[in-house]
Amino acid sequence: MKSFKKELWFNTEKRYQFIHITRDVQEALRESGIQEGLCLVNAMHITASVFINDNESGLHKDYLEWLEKLAPYSRDGYHHNVGEDNGDAHLKRQVMGREVVVAITNGQLDLGPWEAIFYGEFDGKRRKRVLIKIIGE
Ligand code: ZN
């Protein structure tokens, strides 16, 4: 069995931002040379997500508005905000998830027709990373 690891680094301009990373994951898969297996992609930070959904800007606005209703930004509104202000970001990350796992078939990510992979940032403007781990043959 082969194993391959790669990190992607981000430093977003905005506090909340979604970044399309399907091509980065495809590039990692190409570098790995693995034809059949599994690909894990996870955020290495507890205020960021990796998720799969439609690459459609309206939906991304809907996500951000929905998350803001669930866990609005508030400097004083969270028990966690002692010395920092990212209590909302921890909750947003929990809803959007930590990681995705994608099957690899014939050397390709075996995604559904409208599936795309995104990095979701909820406490940005700092350097953060995503881990890609690919195992298989
Ligand atoms: Zn925190």
Side-chain angles (χ1 to χ4, degrees):
M1 188 193 75
K2 283 196 241 176
S3 171
F4 179 86
K5 174 184 167 176
K6 185 175 185 179
E7 291 178 345
L8 304 177
W9 285 87
F10 304 93
N11 191 347
T12 60
E13 293 172 10
K14 299 177 189 165
R15 184 179 180 90
Y16 309 133
Q17 195 168 332
F18 296 155
I19 299 174
H20 185 204
I21 60 169
T22 306
R23 285 191 189 88
D24 302 283
V25 180
Q26 286 168 332
E27 174 64 16
L29 176 56
R30 194 191 60 72
E31 291 170 22
S32 78
I34 291 170
Q35 295 295 304
E36 296 290 324
L38 292 172
C39 177
L40 167 74
V41 187
N42 69 267
M44 298 291 274
H45 304 264
I46 52 181
T47 54
S49 293
V50 172
F51 64 94
I52 290 179
N53 216 298
D54 197 355
N55 186 18
E56 196 277 309
S57 60
L59 177 64
H60 296 180
K61 283 181 193 156
D62 290 334
Y63 271 136
L64 290 171
E65 289 175 12
W66 177 63
L67 290 166
E68 203 56 33
K69 284 179 204 160
L70 285 174
Y73 173 81
S74 168
R75 184 167 289 279
D76 304 317
Y78 296 94
H79 301 292
H80 177 67
N81 286 356
V82 179
E84 58 180 349
D85 69 344
N86 64 3
D88 71 307
H90 289 274
L91 300 181
K92 286 166 173 143
R93 175 264 169 88
Q94 207 69 38
V95 169
M96 296 303 284
R98 172 182 179 263
E99 79 278 305
V100 300
V101 178
V102 181
I104 300 159
T105 306
N106 294 325
Q108 303 292 321
L109 296 174
D110 210 339
L111 291 164
W114 297 104
E115 286 190 321
I117 308 170
F118 295 90
Y119 174 69
E121 177 62 79
F122 305 111
D123 186 19
K125 303 180 182 181
R126 63 177 88 178
R127 269 170 63 74
K128 290 161 94 169
R129 68 200 155 112
V130 158
L131 173 70
I132 301 173
K133 184 86 177 191
I134 306 170
I135 57 170
E137 302 285 338

